[in-house]
Amino acid sequence: MDYNAKRAVAVRSGNARLRPGVIAWLVVLAGLVFSISVGASGAEGLADPSKPDPAIEGAPNEASGEDLYQRGFYPEAMAEWKRAVEEKQDAGAAFQLAEAYFDAAVVERNMEEAIKYYVIGAEWGDARAQADLGTLFDKGWGVPQDLAKAAKWYEASARQGHPSAQYNIGVMYEEGAGVEADKVKAYMYYQLAIEGGFPKFATESLENLSATMKPGEIKEATKMARAFKPLTREESAAEVSVTAKAVTDEISVE
């Protein structure tokens, strides 16, 4: 199977969220229950429900925005994530903004904004943003297709232990797409993807690849997989070390 066929299974990181309509219904239900529970004690002292939970440490951050999003306060969540990016350089908040602008579930799709925030999140070391930015370049979604850039961001994510990114960069190393072909690295990343929880495609790819490799190559790849130590977000950010403006200026949104 060539790379063009294999890359059809490339996935975006995504978020396991309830759909807005479902959330709205749950918010209404929760509000009714909450109103009943506080009726006897009076309304004094109630927190503003459109504000993040004050128990969340470090706000504004990804978590405080997610708290608002899950309760159905979408404009407030977007504003919270933007504050987190601007005030705290929160990579996770940048990723969440990118997802929101790409998925268009609660705001209009805006590929320019999505790409901007994917790049910011990726530059600041968020593995999900790196993986998704790799997919954009891989597929040519909103940007010119560029397999070398796809490989760069997949591998940055893979080096943090992101299993689907490990599979994707494994495919690229096996096929020599965007990178120089390297069966040993491909085997290593397939093995890591399987161990990390992405076995569906990686297992078949590993078995097929192993049939074309020498025992010594498999031994070397296995040794590399066992010695693998994921980078931290901070270490990854230091490695990629680019400026978001420089990258986005090179991209013409399609």
Side-chain angles (χ1 to χ4, degrees):
M1 184 184 295
D2 65 17
Y3 179 68
N4 285 334
K6 281 190 175 183
R7 72 185 180 87
V9 302
V11 294
R12 290 174 53 248
S13 299
N15 288 306
R17 289 185 176 135
L18 294 174
R19 290 184 298 172
V22 176
I23 295 175
W25 182 84
L26 290 175
V27 168
V28 171
L29 179 61
L32 290 173
V33 173
F34 186 66
S35 297
I36 294 171
S37 67
V38 301
S41 58
E44 62 274 7
L46 293 180
D48 184 345
S50 66
K51 300 293 183 184
D53 185 340
I56 297 174
E57 296 183 3
N61 54 21
E62 179 182 1
S64 60
E66 184 69 13
D67 173 58
L68 288 166
Y69 189 101
Q70 294 294 348
R71 289 191 280 114
F73 295 102
Y74 306 122
E76 292 82 359
M78 296 290 287
E80 185 77 0
W81 284 326
K82 287 180 180 179
R83 285 182 57 223
V85 169
E86 293 165 3
E87 298 175 15
K88 301 289 186 67
Q89 292 194 336
D90 190 299
F95 166 74
Q96 297 292 355
L97 286 168
E99 290 285 277
Y101 282 118
F102 186 93
D103 290 335
V106 298
V107 294
E108 289 187 8
R109 173 161 290 145
N110 186 325
M111 285 302 297
E112 186 173 352
E113 288 294 284
I115 292 165
K116 180 182 81 172
Y117 284 114
Y118 276 131
V119 172
I120 290 172
E123 176 192 349
W124 291 349
D126 188 273
R128 299 163 299 177
Q130 291 169 343
D132 286 359
L133 187 57
T135 298
L136 296 190
F137 282 117
D138 188 352
K139 300 286 193 179
W141 288 344
V143 297
Q145 186 182 43
D146 189 324
L147 297 186
K149 288 181 180 178
K152 170 188 174 178
W153 291 113
Y154 279 150
E155 188 150 27
S157 180
R159 282 171 57 75
Q160 289 196 68
H162 195 293
S164 65
Q166 289 171 336
Y167 169 75
N168 288 333
I169 191 61
V171 172
M172 299 186 89
Y173 272 119
E174 181 180 358
E175 302 295 337
V179 291
E180 185 176 347
D182 189 325
K183 290 183 179 180
V184 172
K185 282 188 176 180
Y187 189 104
M188 175 195 71
Y189 278 123
Y190 287 152
Q191 189 168 334
L192 290 171
I194 293 167
E195 293 170 358
F198 196 78
K200 183 175 180 180
F201 300 105
T203 300
E204 181 181 358
S205 295
L206 183 71
E207 292 172 352
N208 292 337
L209 178 60
S210 64
T212 70
M213 296 174 67
K214 299 175 182 178
E217 291 175 322
I218 294 175
K219 182 177 180 180
E220 180 184 356
T222 302
K223 183 178 179 181
M224 289 166 57
R226 288 175 179 168
F228 175 78
K229 182 180 179 182
L231 296 180
T232 65
R233 175 179 287 184
E234 292 73 22
E235 289 170 338
S236 179
E239 274 203 353
V240 297
S241 189
V242 295
T243 66
K245 187 178 187 304
V247 175
T248 52
D249 282 350
E250 295 175 0
I251 298 172
S252 57
V253 179
E254 295 183 341

